[in-house]
Amino acid sequence: MSPEWNAHDNLDFLTPEEMRSRLLEAQEFSTRVSTLTELSLKVDAARSREEILRILKDNLRRLIEGECAFIGLLSHNKTHYVISTLSPLMDAIELNHKHFSVDVGMPGWSIRNKAGIMVDIDSAPSFHPTLEGTLKDLGIRSLIIVPVHTHEEMVGALVFGSSKPNAYVDPDVWLARLLSLQMAISLRHTNLLERALKRVAQIGLVNKVARKLTSTLNIDELLASASEAIQKDFRYFDVTIFLMNQEKTELVLAAHSGNFIDFLPHGYRQKVGLGIVGWVAEHGQSVLANDVSLDSRFLAHQYHNTNSELALPIISDDEVVGVLNVEDTKLYAFDETDVLVLETLCDQVGSAVRNARLFEEIKRTNERLVELDRLKTDFVGIVSHDFRTPLSTIMLAAKSLLRKEVSSDRLKEYLTIIVDQAGRLSLLAEDTLSIAKIESGQLNYQFKVVNVEAIIQEAVSMVKISARHSFGSSIDMNCAYVRGDQNKLRQVLQNLISNAVKYSPGGGQLKVTVVQSEEQAAEFTFSVSDEGLGIPPEYLGRLFQKYARVDTGEAGKIKGTGLGLWICREIIQAHGGKIWVESEVGKGSTFRFTLKRGT
Ligand code: ADP
């Protein structure tokens, strides 16, 4: 059937038979035009792209004959077109939703050249094995391809195919062109409408998610509910939230919601700088990868068949604190609106994380204050006990002296007791006073050149060393004088020696040594060592903190305030030195500190 549409035909010379055939052709054409009008009205009334495609699918065969019809719709960035099938045959060969580059296939040719063509499949100017090849295998011979575009914008290309050779004629192309124009306008309208509706819906959802974010101050709960709300409300395929670790070297998986079933394990960590997520954390910028196979940063995980990924930084106080990551198995799953909306949400997540962290900090400080308050109460009890014990010993000794005629040996013994206990009391009084002064910043120092041997002797004379202990000291020849506050240095040594006695209940050797520091000749290292209980390794790091005590084993049974070492550290640091301990449980401890040479 090939109607002759030549305006110069002379109808007068036609036979009645020919006249009838012409009339029939004209009648058929006018029916198809009215089908086109009807179809155009329907398409014009459609509210979504899906609806337009459905209308076409139901009506196309009435307009243009053939076994196959489909449309290749251009992707957002115009680099690919996606096939939407418009005939059952095309559904059957599973080309629906397949992507092709605009550089290949007949739809690509039509899009690039803004041109339509009616052609035999073997002479098609562009032939792609997966597209035209599959059609040829199915027996398709003739093709019509027309571009779908408005004045301003290219939308895609419409394709019709028939198994008959030379199946199409000019009027088919005209109808296809008219239809494609109508489609272009309608697709553009629905696209604008859909985008506007999506924005309105997203603004509503942003508010909803934001409200959820402010409803909790627990970070884990907060992120779990954020990822769930973002994934469900925005219908994303898969959403994860990572938080930066304290050292800012790794991202720790904090929350997940979505469809990847064999998901990354709980506590999964990814290095900053690694993968798209790591890149976002390092640079503080979003990444939109709509075809991850083209992005060299993409890190493929075993179970994920991700094709699109959108990752955004979560920023709080100008620092990246985490990354929000959205993935999809579809190509080109995200657009600029997604970026915009998720960036707004990331701002909200960032400030929610900051609030939650501040709250955690306040909670911790509060817990610490409560603990300090408890320790202070304990301290008052212990101090009053510590004051009372030596006082009653002194009283007893003094009363004995008053009551009886005492031999000179006894007299010496009682006086020694009184002196020892008075020494204990004075250290206690001194320490108690130092605490208040350190806390108010009023511990004043009088620095001068101090004789090392003199302070050691003074300190030892004020500590009661039991008969179970032996005591020795050695001072290097070059270490005769240090620079410091005599009284405070004596207080430090007295604390360390009395601890050495106190924490070696079984007795043993006590030693004080002074040597030149290995690193600096102008610095001396003092050591006070014992062969006592020793200190478990887990306590070593914190013994110099206020109220820190070993509260287990034998040492736990010995009473104390946990303040002596803290005072020692304050005094040594004020002298520009450092203090530390080396110890082994059951073998003993050595406390060391450094001071500057005195000359
Ligand atoms: P106190 O002895 O009053 O508890 P310190 O601040 O002087 O407080 O000491 C803190 C803790 O360090 C002690 O409770 C004890 O557990 C441990 N410690 C200090 N010196 C020694 C030592 N020479 N041997 C073993 N443990 C020690």
Side-chain angles (χ1 to χ4, degrees):
M1 174 192 63
S2 166
E4 307 284 317
W5 294 97
N6 193 335
H8 303 292
D9 265 0
N10 191 340
L11 295 176
D12 295 343
F13 297 106
L14 293 179
T15 63
E17 204 42 45
E18 284 170 333
M19 282 280 273
R20 204 170 42 240
S21 140
R22 287 294 174 88
L23 266 172
L24 277 174
E25 280 162 12
Q27 212 174 3
E28 192 201 336
F29 188 66
S30 89
T31 313
R32 288 168 74 194
V33 170
S34 72
T35 305
L36 176 67
T37 316
E38 183 197 327
L39 202 60
S40 297
L41 287 173
K42 277 191 186 162
V43 164
D44 192 46
R47 308 266 303 168
S48 69
R49 194 162 77 173
E50 280 64 37
E51 205 180 332
I52 295 178
L53 298 178
R54 208 188 52 245
I55 294 168
L56 289 174
K57 207 168 180 175
D58 293 345
N59 295 282
L60 267 191
R61 284 202 74 151
R62 288 167 54 211
L63 193 66
I64 294 169
E65 263 191 59
E67 290 82 1
C68 97
F70 64 92
I71 184 166
L73 284 170
L74 264 180
S75 63
H76 188 71
N77 60 356
K78 315 261 187 241
T79 57
H80 286 71
Y81 58 90
V82 189
I83 305 287
S84 282
T85 62
L86 299 173
S87 62
L89 181 71
M90 291 296 291
D91 282 343
I93 57 175
E94 291 181 354
L95 274 174
N96 207 10
H97 302 316
K98 286 244 151 48
H99 286 72
F100 292 91
S101 157
V102 286
D103 298 330
V104 301
M106 281 309 293
W109 178 90
S110 176
I111 289 166
R112 286 197 316 277
N113 295 294
K114 274 196 174 178
I117 193 171
M118 174 174 70
V119 71
D120 183 278
I121 197 157
D122 286 325
S123 354
S126 182
F127 187 95
H128 189 271
T130 320
L131 192 53
E132 286 78 13
T134 313
L135 297 180
K136 201 178 161 196
D137 290 347
L138 284 169
I140 298 296
R141 301 287 306 274
S142 312
L143 291 175
I144 292 180
I145 301 109
V146 285
V148 181
H149 66 100
T150 63
H151 208 55
E152 305 102 51
E153 199 183 359
M154 178 59 78
V155 181
L158 191 58
V159 181
F160 297 92
S162 165
S163 57
K164 293 183 201 144
N166 303 319
Y168 299 117
V169 289
D170 286 343
D172 295 311
V173 181
W174 301 339
L175 288 171
R177 271 193 166 281
L178 285 172
L179 176 69
S180 77
L181 183 64
Q182 176 63 50
M183 277 181 70
I185 295 167
S186 297
L187 281 170
R188 214 172 111 83
H189 285 169
T190 52
N191 204 1
L192 289 176
L193 184 71
E194 273 177 19
R195 250 195 250 172
L197 287 174
K198 190 171 163 190
R199 284 217 178 169
V200 171
Q202 280 174 331
I203 290 168
L205 288 172
V206 167
N207 277 330
K208 191 174 152 199
V209 176
R211 268 202 306 277
K212 268 201 181 155
L213 288 178
T214 49
S215 66
T216 172
L217 282 168
N218 174 308
I219 292 197
D220 291 339
E221 253 175 47
L222 186 145
L223 297 179
S225 90
S227 73
E228 190 182 325
I230 292 171
Q231 193 255 326
K232 297 236 163 83
D233 290 346
F234 292 90
R235 304 215 190 109
Y236 287 127
F237 190 78
D238 205 87
V239 174
T240 38
I241 298 180
F242 292 86
L243 278 186
M244 192 83 111
N245 68 352
Q246 255 181 353
E247 298 77 36
K248 308 232 169 283
T249 52
E250 281 183 329
L251 289 160
V252 185
L253 180 67
H256 165 241
S257 176
N259 293 303
F260 284 134
I261 301 162
D262 278 312
F263 195 69
L264 303 173
H266 178 73
Y268 168 82
R269 285 161 180 269
Q270 187 159 321
K271 287 217 158 39
V272 168
L274 191 71
I276 289 183
V277 166
W279 190 94
V280 169
E282 190 176 9
H283 294 85
Q285 290 164 23
S286 306
V287 168
L288 169 61
N290 261 326
D291 181 352
V292 288
S293 68
L294 302 176
D295 196 313
S296 56
R297 293 166 294 195
F298 178 66
L299 189 71
H301 290 293
Q302 207 180 349
Y303 301 109
H304 297 186
N305 43 347
T306 295
N307 274 311
S308 308
E309 181 167 352
L310 168 58
L312 310 105
I314 300 172
I315 296 176
S316 160
D317 290 332
D318 293 331
E319 267 187 35
V320 178
V321 293
V323 175
L324 171 69
N325 186 49
V326 192
E327 293 180 36
D328 204 304
T329 50
K330 286 200 298 290
L331 282 164
Y332 296 93
F334 311 112
D335 61 24
E336 295 307 323
T337 317
D338 294 296
V339 179
L340 209 74
V341 168
L342 289 182
E343 267 173 0
T344 315
L345 274 177
C346 277
D347 278 352
Q348 317 251 18
V349 176
S351 51
V353 167
R354 194 189 47 221
N355 288 345
R357 285 197 169 149
L358 280 177
F359 177 70
E360 289 285 315
E361 213 174 287
I362 291 169
K363 215 165 78 179
R364 266 202 306 276
T365 313
N366 192 39
E367 278 162 10
R368 177 99 189 108
L369 286 176
V370 170
E371 169 72 0
L372 277 180
D373 194 49
R374 188 185 66 72
L375 290 169
K376 264 194 183 156
T377 315
D378 286 358
F379 168 72
V380 173
I382 292 164
V383 167
S384 50
H385 168 271
D386 280 10
F387 269 110
R388 248 182 283 125
T389 319
L391 264 181
S392 41
T393 317
I394 291 171
M395 286 288 274
L396 204 69
K399 275 182 189 162
S400 308
L401 282 179
L402 276 178
R403 244 187 260 134
K404 296 180 202 147
E405 278 288 310
V406 279
S407 66
S408 64
D409 278 358
R410 277 292 165 119
L411 179 67
K412 201 168 168 214
E413 190 189 323
Y414 286 141
L415 285 176
T416 313
I417 292 175
I418 290 172
V419 170
D420 287 345
Q421 296 303 322
R424 233 176 107 184
L425 267 183
S426 95
L427 177 65
L428 209 59
E430 209 168 30
D431 276 358
T432 316
L433 209 68
S434 299
I435 296 161
K437 285 194 171 166
I438 290 171
E439 278 182 336
S440 60
Q442 287 172 353
L443 195 61
N444 296 322
Y445 292 86
Q446 283 168 359
F447 292 106
K448 54 181 189 170
V449 175
V450 180
N451 183 302
V452 171
E453 190 168 0
I455 44 169
I456 296 176
Q457 266 178 17
E458 198 186 339
V460 175
S461 74
M462 296 178 82
V463 179
K464 182 172 185 276
I465 297 179
S466 81
R468 292 188 300 280
H469 293 96
S470 59
F471 179 82
S473 67
S474 88
I475 302 163
D476 245 24
M477 260 177 24
N478 302 325
C479 305
Y481 297 98
V482 286
R483 216 187 132 60
D485 182 311
Q486 176 150 358
N487 237 330
K488 306 233 170 29
L489 292 180
R490 191 262 312 139
Q491 190 181 351
V492 169
L493 279 164
Q494 194 179 341
N495 259 307
L496 296 180
I497 299 167
S498 80
N499 273 352
V501 174
K502 193 161 125 187
Y503 295 102
S504 53
Q509 171 81 25
L510 308 175
K511 244 191 312 189
V512 177
T513 59
V514 186
V515 295
Q516 226 162 24
S517 294
E518 274 170 24
E519 309 92 61
Q520 289 184 46
E523 193 184 81
F524 303 157
T525 303
F526 287 63
S527 308
V528 178
S529 63
D530 63 63
E531 297 174 338
L533 301 173
I535 300 160
E538 64 272 26
Y539 287 91
L540 288 177
R542 52 186 149 109
L543 274 191
F544 294 95
Q545 286 169 15
K546 211 171 177 184
Y547 301 119
R549 307 202 66 236
V550 176
D551 46 13
T552 54
E554 277 296 291
K557 293 182 197 144
I558 300 170
K559 278 207 176 302
T561 56
L563 288 164
L565 290 180
W566 175 67
I567 294 168
C568 290
R569 189 188 65 179
E570 291 290 325
I571 294 175
I572 295 301
Q573 283 181 347
H575 280 75
K578 51 185 194 297
I579 184 165
W580 70 100
V581 58
E582 292 152 19
S583 181
E584 206 177 318
V585 175
K587 291 235 166 110
S589 312
T590 302
F591 285 81
R592 298 187 203 277
F593 61 87
T594 58
L595 286 175
K596 298 258 165 357
R597 189 168 57 195
T599 46

